[in-house]
Amino acid sequence: MLLLLRKMKQGFFARQEFRRYLIYALGEMALVIIGILIALQIDNWNTEQKQEESLKHYLNSISKNIGNDLMAVRAIRENRETARELSMRMDFLRGKASFDVDEIGFASQALSAAQELHFFKASISGFEALKSSGNLEQLQGRDIEQLLYDYYDTVDQIEQAEQSHNEFVRLYIPQLINNFPADVSWWEFADPSALAADHFQALQPGFRDLLDGAGTNALYALAASVGELILNYDKLNRLGMAFVRMIENDTMAFDETTIATIDSIYDPSTGAGYPILIANGKISMHTYNWGAASSSDSRLFGRSPDSEIAESSTPFRFNSVERFDDRLQIVYPGGAQWAGVWLRPQDSVSAGRFSLDFSSFDKLQLELRGNIGGEKILVHMKDSNDPDDGSQTDLELQLTDQWQVYEIDLERFENADLDHLHIVLGFLFREEPQAFSVRTAKFVKTD
């Protein structure tokens, strides 16, 4: 009996020993498994960190590429806008029977700018390296991914538009050369101030033939038709600035500033008006054309180069609307029963009186300065249904010889339907000469 009890006791302790051993073994196994999982997690974390660092390296390279792109686009945009402005001002010279030295010098400058070939080739080494690395999938679902694709989609649109524009320039230049008047040499057209007065007068028929030529006017019209291209330059600039800022701030998520930058990209297809008409003396060339007319000459900018205009006694000259530094100078010599200069929305597709919706704005803000002070100018706007009979609402502003900001409640333009503005800003003159400058013109919201 005692022997049986002793064996039972030994068995019990043996089982206890085995149980302790089993628990210990299981604990050891659990520790090993936990250690392996932790090691895997650390390894995965290290891998993710390395991938994240690698991704940041590629994004920093792309950011540098984009910085270079934006500098290149800025220079090309300035040249395009200058060529467009010069070509639009050429309208003042069309239909004239004779020209002075300054007019021919200006026509030569405008034609030279219209013939320039500008090429935008984006720096894509960083983006191509990112795609080749396999790290591109790490951007999926992040805000910066769509921004990056939008940027390079816009790059493609610009490069294609530039190529198309340059091909047309190359097409028209031979036409210009082949029809260049035989009695006028290139240098005489380029530097008319070097000619003797009698020789300059003898060249008048040749100058007229040159400026009326199909190739010449095709180049001028082409230079004036780059509004959509300038709009894409502006879009690329804003997308690029948003991307560079995100990289500088080491984030891949949009903040309020980034969202505001992207939202400020203007899309004319929405039908909403672009609020900035003139900034620092520069007309928003991506959205607006400008024109002029008088009681003695109803010529309009944007006219087809094939249409005919008889010799007229327009009071305006090629330098009647001209940009200097941070101001746009408008000079009306006087003499006509009425005359006007205006801005209107541009559109290359719609027929008729194209308009935009400005009903979300409350005021028109103008920063103006008279050349001598005391000038009185009439400001107006028109909708697409307003007749050109002088029935629009004209508001008088008296200027000083210092810069002054004028805020006009839009409801004061009683005849103008803000939902469909065709003339977004017009300056009307009577017989008295007027000369003044505009630094800023924009629509604003008060809320």
Side-chain angles (χ1 to χ4, degrees), residues 384-421:
S384 55
N385 295 316
D386 281 335
D388 295 324
D389 59 2
S391 60
Q392 74 278 349
T393 302
D394 296 309
L395 302 178
E396 184 178 271
L397 301 178
Q398 183 163 350
L399 310 184
T400 71
D401 61 355
Q402 302 295 318
W403 288 111
Q404 186 171 341
V405 175
Y406 302 82
E407 283 198 346
I408 305 172
D409 290 332
L410 295 181
E411 62 185 15
R412 295 182 61 190
F413 297 102
E414 298 175 0
N415 295 18
D417 180 0
L418 298 178
D419 293 335
H420 305 284
L421 281 189

Side-chain angles (χ1 to χ4, degrees), residues 310-322:
E311 173 74 357
S312 65
S313 56
T314 174
F316 293 110
R317 285 175 51 82
F318 70 89
N319 54 1
S320 290
V321 180
E322 188 172 8

Side-chain angles (χ1 to χ4, degrees), residues 49-64:
Q49 285 297 106
K50 289 179 180 179
Q51 290 177 338
E52 195 75 9
E53 288 301 316
S54 178
L55 178 61
K56 289 181 180 180
H57 169 75
Y58 287 116
L59 293 178
N60 278 322
S61 295
I62 294 173
S63 180
K64 291 178 182 178

Side-chain angles (χ1 to χ4, degrees), residues 258-315:
T258 303
I259 293 172
T261 301
I262 296 173
D263 287 346
S264 68
I265 296 172
Y266 179 59
D267 181 4
S269 66
T270 64
Y274 185 66
I276 301 174
L277 311 180
I278 301 172
N280 293 320
K282 292 182 63 174
I283 296 172
S284 295
M285 289 287 188
H286 56 61
T287 306
Y288 300 108
N289 287 324
W290 51 285
S294 72
S295 56
S296 57
D297 173 27
S298 59
R299 70 181 66 219
L300 302 175
F301 291 163
R303 168 185 65 84
S304 167
D306 298 326
S307 62
E308 295 182 359
I309 294 181
E311 173 74 357
S312 65
S313 56
T314 174

Side-chain angles (χ1 to χ4, degrees), residues 52-69 122-131 133 135 144 148 151-152 240 243-244 247-248:
E52 195 75 9
E53 288 301 316
S54 178
L55 178 61
K56 289 181 180 180
H57 169 75
Y58 287 116
L59 293 178
N60 278 322
S61 295
I62 294 173
S63 180
K64 291 178 182 178
N65 287 165
I66 289 177
N68 293 331
D69 290 348
S123 303
I124 60 173
S125 58
F127 189 46
E128 291 299 322
L130 174 61
K131 290 191 291 185
S133 70
N135 289 324
I144 202 170
L148 191 60
Y151 178 86
Y152 283 105
F243 184 89
V244 170
I247 300 306
E248 289 176 346

